[in-house]
C-alpha cells in the first residue's frame, strides 16, 4: 500500500497568522512568563520578569505555537489551568445560570428597543419606558419568563427531552442579577451559584464599621464623581466625628480601614454600578450593551456559525450522476440512510472551520466535537483525505451563533463556549437569515462540486461485507470525499459574498491584517474538551488504559481522604486528551493539576494507537505474557508507518470516544500491568504516514457508528476479545488464578 509523509501537499502554502495578544493576562514561552509591551503587523515585543524586552516576529511565535512552546491565558477562569473549570460546575447550577443569562439577555434586547419591542404590547405591557425599576420589572418579568421558557421548549423538539418550566426571581433579585451580570461583562460565570455549604466565613471586621465604610465607598459612585482618595478622606472625617460622640457615651470606637482595603471596597461595587452612579444609567447601559452597531464582521473568528443538516443522499448523488451506476439494492440503502452533518463556518472569510459526520441524530456530543474541531489544527485531516491544500483554518472565536436546537442548548456546549470566553447567540428557530452564510453552503455549493467525483472513488460510499451479501453505507468514505471537496474546491472557488475572492485568499489576507486569537495549547484543549471520568487513587497515582499518572498532590489527596472516618476509597476526577496520553489533568478539589505518566511514554501517543497496540498484543502473545512498553511502542510505530494511526486520528465519520467506551477498552485489553523496560527515556515515535487507499478506515478499536450510543456501547461490551490459549505453565502467585481477597500496597 502506498504511503506518504503527512502534510506534503501538491500546492504548498505557508501561512503565518498574526496572533492578537492584547487581552492576554499571561503569556508563557518555554515556561517563562512575559507581558505584552507592543504589537504591530511586523513584530511583537514581550517583557520578561526581569524587565528585559524581547522582540518576536510573527513567524517565530507561530513556530513556537506549532511546537507547543507558546501558551496564553485570557481572563480569570476560562483558560487558566490553575482555576476551576466551568464545565465542572454541577449541571443543575449551570442550567439555572444559563436560564438567568437568557432572561437577562432578553431584557437587554427589550431595553434597547423599548416598549415597541416585537410582541411586548401584545403581551400586555403598557408602560412608556423600559427600566430596571421595581414597578416596570413587575410587569416585564412574567413576559420574559414566558419567552425564555418557550424558546427553550422549542429547542427540545428532537430527542424527546421534557423541558421543566423555570420560574424567574422577584424584581429586586432580578435587579441584583443584572448588575452582577453587567459588571462582569455579561459572562454567565457571574450567575453561577456559589452556595455549597452552611455559609461564608464571617468577616473579621465589626459590622458597625463595615456599614460606615460601605456608605462612604458608595460616595465614589455619585454625580459629584470624587476620587477614591477624596472619599477616603471624607470617611476619616466621619469616623473622627462619630468617635467623639461614642467616646462620651462609653461605646466602642469605630476603626478605620487601610487605604488599600477601602479601594477594594470601591471596586467591589462593580463597573456597572459605578458608571451608572457617576455618569447615569443610560450611559451605563450603552457602555455594557451586548449588541452594538449591528453586524460589522472584519476579522476571522469575530463571528462563527454552527448548523446541522440531515443529508439527502439521493438528491446529491442524482445531481452528480452517480445514481445511474448504482444497483437497486444500493439505491434502497442510501434512501434509508440517516446521515447528519454538523458544520462551523467563519463569517468574515466564509472558511469552513469544522465538518463532522454522524450516522446518529445531532446531540451535545456532535456539537461539542464540531466546536473542538473549529478551534483545533486540521492539517492532518487534509493530508489523510489526500487534499491538495492544507485545511489550515482554525481560530478562537468571539461569537458563536446557532439556532435553538437541543444540541446547542445543552449546558455542556454552552459551558465550553463560556470557557473559551466566547459569546453564544441564538437565532429564532427556522430563521435561516440569521445564519444565512452556513445555510446556503450545501444548498448551492454541493451541486457545484459533487460532479467532480464522478468516475472516481465516490462509488465506494456503498460497500459490502466479507460475505458479499450485506451492503452498508461507508460513512468514512462519504466524509472523506465531501471534506476533500470543501478543502480543495470550495475554499478555492470565488465566493460572491466575498466580492469574488476565494475563502482561502480571504483567510490569508485578513489573518495578516487583523490579529486573531491564538489557538489553544494542548493543556488548555484537554482542560476544556477532555473526556471526564472518575478514577481511584492508589500509591501509584491514578490509572488509565494501563498507564499510571502520579503527582505529590494525588498522594496528599489519598492520605487526606483515607483519614476520614467511614470514607470511601480515595478518588478524583480526571480529564484525558485522546490525541496524547503522556499527560492528564486531575481535580484536587479546588483546581486542575497536570500529571505526567510514570512510565517513559513518548509525547503524542493517541488512544487509538495505544489501544490498537494492546489489541494486537493480546491477539499475538500468550494470555499470561507480560505487556512491555517496548513491545507496545513497536506496535504503535507499525500502526503509524502503515497509515492506520493517521486515519484513526482524523476521526472521519466517527464520534469522540465516551468514558464508558474507555472503560470497555480497559476491561478488554489492559487487565495486566505494563512493564516499563526502558532504562532511559523511550525512543522517538515513527513519523505519521498517510495511507492513500480510499477504503482504508484505520484502527477500529473505537468504531461506534450505530443508531444510538447506548446500543453501540452495549455491543462493545459484548465484544469477544481474541486471545491465544494460555501456556501450560501458570505462575502460582498469579492473582488472576488465586485471589485471597487481600490488597497489599507496594
Amino acid at each position: 500500500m502506498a504511503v506518504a509523509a503527512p502534510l506534503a501537499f501538491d500546492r504548498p502554502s505557508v501561512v503565518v497568522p498574526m496572533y492578537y495578544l492584547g487581552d492576554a493576562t499571561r503569556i508563557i514561552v518555554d515556561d517563562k512568563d512575559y507581558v505584552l509591551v507592543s504589537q504591530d503587523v511586523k513584530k511583537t515585543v514581550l517583557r520578561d520578569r526581569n524587565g528585559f524586552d524581547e522582540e518576536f516576529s510573527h513567524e517565530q511565535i507561530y513556530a513556537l505555537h506549532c511546537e507547543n512552546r507558546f501558551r496564553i491565558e485570557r481572563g480569570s477562569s476560562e483558560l487558566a489551568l490553575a482555576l476551576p473549570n466551568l464545565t465542572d460546575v454541577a449541571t443543575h447550577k449551570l442550567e439555572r445560570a444559563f436560564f438567568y443569562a437568557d432572561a437577562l439577555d432578553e431584557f437587554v434586547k427589550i431595553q434597547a428597543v423599548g416598549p415597541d419591542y416585537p410582541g411586548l404590547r401584545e403581551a400586555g405591557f403598557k408602560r412608556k419606558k423600559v427600566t430596571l425599576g421595581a414597578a416596570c420589572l413587575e410587569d416585564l418579568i412574567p413576559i420574559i419568563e414566558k419567552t425564555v421558557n418557550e424558546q427553550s421548549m422549542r429547542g427540545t423538539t428532537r430527542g424527546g427531552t421534557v423541558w421543566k418550566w423555570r420560574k424567574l426571581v422577584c424584581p429586586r433579585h432580578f435587579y441584583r442579577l443584572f448588575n452582577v451580570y453587567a459588571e462582569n461583562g455579561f459572562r454567565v460565570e457571574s450567575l453561577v451559584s456559589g452556595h455549597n455549604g452552611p455559609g461564608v466565613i464571617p468577616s473579621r471586621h465589626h459590622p458597625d464599621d463595615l456599614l460606615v465604610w460601605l456608605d462612604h465607598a458608595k460616595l465614589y459612585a455619585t454625580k459629584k464623581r470624587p476620587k477614591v482618595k477624596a472619599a477616603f478622606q471624607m470617611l476619616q472625617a466621619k469616623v473622627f466625628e462619630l468617635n467623639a460622640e461614642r467616646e462620651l457615651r462609653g461605646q466602642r470606637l469605630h476603626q478605620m480601614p487601610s487605604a488599600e482595603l477601602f479601594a477594594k471596597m470601591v471596586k467591589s461595587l462593580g463597573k456597572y454600578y459605578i458608571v451608572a452612579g457617576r455618569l447615569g444609567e443610560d450611559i451605563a447601559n450603552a457602555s455594557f450593551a451586548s449588541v452594538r452597531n449591528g453586524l460589522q464582521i472584519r476579522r476571522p473568528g469575530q463571528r462563527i456559525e454552527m448548523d446541522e443538516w440531515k443529508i439527502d443522499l439521493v438528491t446529491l448523488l442524482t445531481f452528480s450522476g452517480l445514481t445511474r451506476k448504482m444497483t437497486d439494492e444500493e439505491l434502497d440503502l442510501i434512501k434509508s440512510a440517516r446521515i447528519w452533518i454538523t458544520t462551523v463556518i467563519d463569517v468574515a472569510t466564509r472558511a469552513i472551520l469544522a465538518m463532522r459526520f454522524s450516522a446518529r441524530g445531532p446531540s451535545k456530543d456532535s456539537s461539542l466535537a464540531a466546536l473542538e474541531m473549529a478551534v483545533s489544527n486540521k492539517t492532518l485531516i487534509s493530508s489523510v483525505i489526500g487534499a491538495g491544500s492544507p485545511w489550515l483554518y482554525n481560530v478562537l472565536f468571539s461569537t458563536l451563533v446557532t439556532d435553538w436546537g437541543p444540541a446547542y442548548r445543552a449546558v455542556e456546549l454552552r459551558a465550553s463556549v463560556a470557557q473559551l470566553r466566547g459569546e453564544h447567540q441564538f437565532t429564532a428557530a427556522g430563521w435561516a437569515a440569521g445564519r444565512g452564510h452556513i445555510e446556503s453552503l450545501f444548498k448551492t455549493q454541493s451541486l457545484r462540486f459533487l460532479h467532480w467525483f464522478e468516475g472516481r472513488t465516490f462509488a465506494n460510499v456503498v460497500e459490502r461485507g466479507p460475505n458479499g451479501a450485506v451492503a452498508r453505507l461507508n460513512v468514512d468514505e462519504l466524509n472523506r470525499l465531501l471534506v476533500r471537496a470543501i478543502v480543495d474546491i470550495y475554499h478555492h472557488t470565488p465566493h460572491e459574498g466575498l466580492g469574488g475572492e476565494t475563502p482561502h485568499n480571504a483567510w490569508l489576507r485578513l489573518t495578516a491584517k487583523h490579529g486573531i486569537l491564538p489557538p489553544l495549547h494542548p493543556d488548555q484543549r484537554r482542560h476544556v474538551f477532555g473526556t471526564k471520568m472518575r478514577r481511584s487513587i492508589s500509591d501509584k497515582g491514578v490509572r488509565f488504559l494501563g498507564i499510571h499518572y502520579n503527582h505529590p498532590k494525588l498522594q496528599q489527596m489519598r492520605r487526606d481522604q483515607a483519614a476520614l472516618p467511614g470514607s470511601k476509597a480515595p478518588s478524583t476526577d480526571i480529564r484525558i486528551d485522546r490525541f496524547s496520553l503522556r499527560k492528564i489533568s486531575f481535580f484536587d478539589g479546588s483546581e486542575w493539576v497536570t500529571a505526567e505518566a510514570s512510565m517513559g511514554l513518548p509525547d503524542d501517543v493517541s488512544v487509538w494507537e495505544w489501544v490498537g497496540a494492546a489489541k494486537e498484543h493480546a491477539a499475538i502473545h500468550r494470555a499470561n505474557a507480560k505487556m512491555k512498553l517496548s513491545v507496545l511502542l513497536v506496535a504503535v510505530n507499525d500502526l503509524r508507518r502503515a497509515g492506520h494511526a493517521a486515519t484513526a486520528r482524523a476521526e472521519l465519520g466517527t464520534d469522540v470516544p465516551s468514558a464508558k467506551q474507555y472503560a470497555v477498552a480497559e476491561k478488554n485489553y489492559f487487565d495486566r500491568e505494563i512493564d516499563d523496560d526502558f532504562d532511559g527515556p523511550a525512543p522517538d515515535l515513527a513519523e505519521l504516514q498517510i495511507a492513500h487507499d480510499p477504503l482504508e478506515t484505520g484502527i477500529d478499536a473505537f468504531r461506534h457508528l450505530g443508531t444510538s450510543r447506548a446500543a453501540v456501547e452495549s455491543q462493545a461490551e459484548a465484544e469477544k476479545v481474541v486471545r491465544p490459549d494460555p501456556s501450560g505453565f501458570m505462575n502460582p502467585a498469579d492473582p488472576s488464578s488465586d485471589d485471597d481477597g487481600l490488597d497489599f500496597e507496594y
Side-chain angles (χ1 to χ4, degrees):
M1 176 176 57
V3 295
L7 312 185
F9 299 101
D10 297 336
R11 298 188 301 274
S13 178
V14 179
V15 179
V16 180
M18 178 174 62
Y19 293 143
Y20 173 70
L21 305 178
D23 64 345
T25 56
R26 189 182 178 201
I27 303 171
I28 306 102
V29 179
D30 291 332
D31 297 325
K32 185 177 178 181
D33 285 349
Y34 291 87
V35 295
L36 178 66
V37 177
S38 64
Q39 191 173 28
D40 55 35
V41 295
K42 294 184 178 180
K43 65 181 184 303
T44 298
V45 180
L46 303 179
R47 181 171 297 160
D48 63 16
R49 288 183 175 179
N50 298 320
F52 294 103
D53 292 350
E54 295 184 37
E55 288 188 1
F56 294 84
S57 66
H58 300 309
E59 290 81 1
Q60 288 175 311
I61 292 181
Y62 180 72
L64 289 170
H65 158 69
C66 294
E67 296 174 2
N68 296 330
R69 298 164 55 196
F70 175 80
R71 187 176 86 231
I72 72 160
E73 294 175 3
R74 301 163 52 226
S76 56
S77 64
E78 294 77 22
L79 298 178
L81 297 182
L83 294 173
N85 190 333
L86 183 62
T87 55
D88 293 289
V89 176
T91 302
H92 69 279
K93 289 187 177 183
L94 278 180
E95 291 174 347
R96 173 61 64 177
F98 281 118
F99 174 71
Y100 286 155
D102 292 340
L104 293 169
D105 289 341
E106 185 71 16
F107 174 81
V108 171
K109 296 176 185 177
I110 293 174
Q111 190 180 44
V113 177
D116 295 327
Y117 186 81
L120 199 58
R121 295 296 190 191
E122 293 80 350
F125 188 80
K126 300 179 180 179
R127 297 185 176 274
K128 297 181 180 180
K129 189 177 181 182
V130 177
T131 69
L132 284 168
C136 181
L137 290 179
E138 192 75 37
D139 297 338
L140 200 57
I141 284 177
I143 300 174
I144 295 177
E145 178 184 297
K146 183 174 183 293
T147 301
V148 174
N149 277 288
E150 287 179 349
Q151 289 173 340
S152 300
M153 285 189 291
R154 281 204 303 268
T156 59
T157 55
R158 225 177 12 241
T161 304
V162 178
W163 177 259
K164 180 181 178 181
W165 188 279
R166 295 185 181 276
K167 298 286 293 182
L168 265 179
V169 294
C170 66
R172 184 179 181 184
H173 195 183
F174 190 92
Y175 176 78
R176 291 173 177 171
L177 289 175
F178 182 85
N179 285 336
V180 171
Y181 195 42
E183 70 190 28
N184 285 279
F186 293 92
R187 298 306 307 274
V188 71
E189 292 94 324
S190 61
L191 302 176
V192 176
S193 172
H195 183 71
N196 291 308
V200 298
I201 300 175
S203 170
R204 61 186 178 88
H205 304 292
H206 197 280
D208 293 342
D209 296 340
L210 290 173
L211 288 175
V212 178
W213 300 350
L214 184 59
D215 287 340
H216 284 74
K218 290 180 179 179
L219 292 177
Y220 179 79
T222 58
K223 298 294 184 182
K224 294 183 179 181
R225 291 187 281 177
K227 294 183 178 180
V228 176
K229 185 176 181 180
F232 185 70
Q233 291 173 344
M234 286 187 279
L235 173 61
Q236 287 178 318
K238 186 64 176 178
V239 168
F240 181 81
E241 177 186 343
L242 292 176
N243 281 343
E245 297 179 1
R246 294 173 73 89
E247 189 174 11
L248 293 176
R249 298 172 184 172
Q251 296 176 331
R252 188 192 68 85
L253 300 181
H254 285 300
Q255 301 297 315
M256 275 292 296
S258 65
E260 292 79 7
L261 177 58
F262 184 77
K264 288 182 180 179
M265 293 184 69
V266 171
K267 292 181 181 179
S268 68
L269 296 175
K271 295 180 181 179
Y272 180 84
Y273 181 90
I274 293 174
V275 174
R278 293 170 71 90
L279 302 176
E281 189 171 296
D282 292 339
I283 295 180
N285 290 334
S287 300
F288 289 94
S290 58
V291 181
R292 308 185 186 193
N293 303 325
L295 288 179
Q296 298 180 6
I297 310 302
R298 296 187 178 91
R299 62 174 175 82
Q302 185 175 348
R303 175 186 172 101
I304 67 174
E305 298 176 357
M306 182 187 297
D307 207 351
E308 60 203 20
W309 302 271
K310 179 184 176 183
I311 295 181
D312 186 354
L313 286 179
V314 176
T315 301
L316 295 183
L317 298 182
T318 299
F319 272 95
S320 67
L322 293 177
T323 52
R324 294 193 300 267
K325 302 180 179 181
M326 293 184 174
T327 65
D328 292 339
E329 181 186 12
E330 292 171 341
L331 287 174
D332 290 338
L333 175 64
I334 65 173
K335 286 179 182 178
S336 61
R338 286 170 49 90
I339 301 298
W340 288 88
I341 177 174
T342 303
T343 307
V344 182
I345 188 172
D346 175 64
V347 174
T349 63
R350 308 299 197 269
I352 303 302
L353 303 177
M355 181 179 288
R356 297 286 308 201
F357 282 66
S358 177
R360 295 196 297 272
S363 64
K364 64 180 181 182
D365 300 313
S366 60
S367 59
L368 273 172
L371 181 67
E372 181 182 10
M373 190 178 193
V375 301
S376 302
N377 187 295
K378 294 175 284 291
T379 49
L380 176 64
I381 299 177
S382 51
S383 185
V384 167
I385 63 177
S389 59
W391 195 358
L392 49 87
Y393 323 107
N394 68 90
V395 65
L396 286 182
F397 55 89
S398 298
T399 301
L400 168 68
V401 181
T402 67
D403 61 23
W404 288 88
Y408 309 130
R409 295 286 304 176
V411 294
E412 292 84 357
L413 176 71
R414 300 186 70 180
S416 295
V417 172
Q419 284 294 117
L420 297 173
R421 294 198 68 202
E423 179 186 3
H424 193 171
Q425 292 183 0
F426 294 93
T427 62
W431 183 48
R435 50 190 191 282
H437 307 298
I438 199 168
E439 285 282 7
S440 65
L441 173 62
F442 274 87
K443 292 179 181 178
T444 57
Q445 298 296 334
S446 61
L447 306 183
R448 183 182 303 173
F449 62 62
L450 271 179
H451 72 275
W452 185 72
F453 292 108
E454 186 171 1
R456 304 194 184 194
T457 58
F458 199 66
N460 293 323
V461 295
V462 176
E463 64 179 7
R464 295 185 174 275
N467 57 6
V470 180
R472 71 179 182 89
L473 187 68
N474 188 341
V475 182
D476 302 74
E477 182 64 9
L478 179 68
N479 193 347
R480 175 198 302 270
L481 297 175
L482 289 183
V483 169
R484 182 173 180 183
I486 290 293
V487 174
D488 272 351
I489 302 177
Y490 167 77
H491 284 142
H492 297 277
T493 300
H495 197 293
E496 60 184 56
L498 299 171
E501 189 177 19
T502 67
H504 178 77
N505 289 339
W507 181 273
L508 298 183
R509 176 175 59 85
L510 293 178
T511 53
K513 181 179 180 181
H514 303 285
I516 62 175
L517 299 176
L520 296 176
H521 186 273
D523 289 344
Q524 295 171 326
R525 175 173 167 167
R526 181 180 66 246
H527 190 54
V528 177
F529 296 106
T531 304
K532 181 182 174 183
M533 58 195 73
R534 192 78 178 173
R535 281 294 182 270
S536 298
I537 308 175
S538 71
D539 59 328
K540 298 180 181 179
V542 295
R543 188 175 185 266
F544 175 69
L545 293 182
I547 306 169
H548 288 283
Y549 301 86
N550 213 344
H551 191 278
K553 285 192 175 182
L554 279 173
Q555 296 307 315
Q556 183 63 43
M557 291 171 62
R558 182 174 69 93
R559 290 188 292 269
D560 293 344
Q561 294 182 27
L564 298 175
S567 62
K568 299 180 180 179
S571 61
T572 185
D573 288 326
I574 68 170
R575 285 188 178 273
I576 64 99
D577 178 7
R578 61 191 183 281
F579 295 99
S580 180
L581 290 174
R582 187 164 173 240
K583 298 179 181 179
I584 64 165
S585 299
F586 69 91
F587 194 65
D588 70 349
S590 60
E591 62 182 21
W592 285 91
V593 183
T594 299
E596 294 196 15
S598 299
M599 64 177 64
L601 192 68
D603 199 10
D604 203 37
V605 176
S606 69
V607 295
W608 301 279
E609 297 159 355
W610 189 246
V611 176
K615 187 175 182 179
E616 181 177 332
H617 182 279
I620 296 176
H621 298 277
R622 294 180 302 183
N624 60 331
K626 286 187 176 181
M627 297 180 67
K628 295 184 177 181
L629 179 60
S630 59
V631 176
L632 291 178
L633 291 184
V634 168
V636 167
N637 285 333
D638 289 342
L639 293 172
R640 285 176 159 242
R641 295 188 184 98
H644 302 321
T647 307
R649 281 170 169 265
E651 298 184 302
L652 294 174
T654 61
D655 296 331
V656 177
S658 65
K660 187 171 183 179
Q661 287 172 304
Y662 284 129
V664 173
E666 288 186 305
K667 175 184 175 182
N668 288 344
Y669 305 115
F670 297 97
D671 54 347
R672 287 160 291 166
E673 292 292 329
I674 299 174
D675 180 21
D676 186 358
D677 53 344
F678 288 110
D679 293 333
D684 294 335
L685 295 174
E687 184 180 10
L688 281 170
Q689 302 293 319
I690 306 301
H692 283 200
D693 181 356
L695 294 180
E696 196 66 42
T697 56
I699 304 168
D700 61 354
F702 290 104
R703 301 192 55 74
H704 49 285
L705 291 173
T707 56
S708 70
R709 183 179 288 274
V712 177
E713 286 177 346
S714 61
Q715 182 180 359
E717 288 182 333
E719 177 187 5
K720 183 178 181 181
V721 181
V722 180
R723 299 184 187 277
D725 295 333
S727 66
F729 173 77
M730 175 65 72
N731 187 349
D734 190 337
S736 62
S737 61
D738 186 16
D739 187 357
D740 58 6
L742 298 179
D743 183 17
F744 294 99
E745 294 182 348
Y746 298 98

